[in-house]
Each structure stands twice: as C-alpha cells, then as structure tokens.
Amino acid sequence: MDFSRDGVDLAVRHGVGRYPGLRSYRVVSVEMVPVAAPSLVEHLGMPELSDELTRWPQVHDADRKGWSLWFQAQGIDEIEVPRGPSFNDSSLLLSAVIAGQGAGLLPAAMVALDVNEGRLVKLAKPTHMETFAYYLVYPEEKHSNLKVSALRDWILGAAST
C-alpha cells in the first residue's frame, strides 16, 4: 500500500506491526497454520515434527518474520535465514502456496476452505501468535486528522470488546 499514491488514509496489515513511517496499532491476533499444496506434501512427505519444516521451501510474508515467530512458538530456535519468495499481500502468498512454491504460514480461517476442498494440506496444528497479528496503520502525518482518529478509535474499541 502506497498511502500517498493510492489516496488511502488507513490500512490493515498482517505482520509484526513495525512499519517505518507509519503509526501501528495491534487490532487482533489470529491462529496461524502452516500449509502446503498436496503436490509438495506428496514430494516431501508429511512432516511428523515441526522442526522438519525448517528444511522445506517456504513462502514468506513481506517482513519475513512469520516463520521465525512460528518456529519460536514451537520451541525451535535453530533456523536458517529466511529464503524463498515473499509477498506483501496475503492473497498472493496464498496463491503461491497453492501453486506449490513452498509451505506458507497463513491465518487458519483464511485457508479453511482450501484445506476442506483439498487444495491445501495442514502441516501442523494452528498456533496463536500474539506478535504476528493484524495492525491498523497510517502515516505519521495523519495522526492529528480527525477522521483518521475517529475511525482508529472505533476500530480499536470494537476489537477490544
């Protein structure tokens, strides 16, 4: 999202919440689940342990932090530097995973239909990760804008109930 080019005042991003030049407010965290295309699972075999996924090709979020946080939540600290394609749009990340480019870490609710219909395979149980969440973001210079403040307060208020 290019705020100046796209004429957008606020956005919701999924990631770790650190975006240079933007104010960021955590709205909600969700369960994340590692998934892959059935063809990739057939080629590599279903992982029995979470640490086996450290050796799989991976598709990443733009910040390249999701997998690291997921592995840490599983108690796995020995991981390599993230490599593989990354996307700043979760629907593009999902498309890459379905196409077999690698395993992806996505919100469980987002992939539920694809899992149920056999386009994706869950590689492990969903994990709730507080840091990797949805964040309301906007440029610093919009902070005093009354409309931005009103919408921010409404969204954050609704999310806290």
Side-chain angles (χ1 to χ4, degrees), residues 13-59:
R13 288 190 176 168
H14 187 252
V16 294
R18 286 183 271 270
Y19 307 104
L22 299 178
R23 291 265 177 141
S24 178
Y25 298 88
R26 187 180 160 284
V27 178
V28 65
S29 61
V30 295
E31 285 187 319
M32 301 297 288
V33 64
V35 292
S39 59
L40 189 60
V41 174
E42 185 178 311
H43 176 69
L44 297 174
M46 187 68 174
E48 292 182 29
L49 301 171
S50 296
D51 67 341
E52 292 175 39
L53 291 174
T54 63
R55 297 181 292 279
W56 278 51
Q58 298 164 355
V59 180

Side-chain angles (χ1 to χ4, degrees), residues 69-132:
L69 293 169
W70 186 83
F71 284 125
Q72 288 173 7
Q74 309 307 311
I76 302 166
D77 294 320
E78 298 294 320
I79 55 173
E80 296 180 21
V81 174
R83 59 189 193 289
S86 65
F87 299 90
N88 62 1
D89 180 303
S90 57
S91 62
L92 293 175
L93 192 153
L94 175 59
S95 294
V97 173
I98 289 172
Q101 293 184 21
L105 188 62
L106 289 156
M110 181 183 197
V111 299
L113 182 62
D114 291 307
V115 169
N116 289 339
E117 294 185 355
R119 287 184 294 275
L120 290 174
V121 176
K122 282 187 196 178
L123 303 175
K125 292 181 180 177
T127 301
H128 195 82
M129 300 180 338
E130 283 297 317
T131 306
F132 203 56

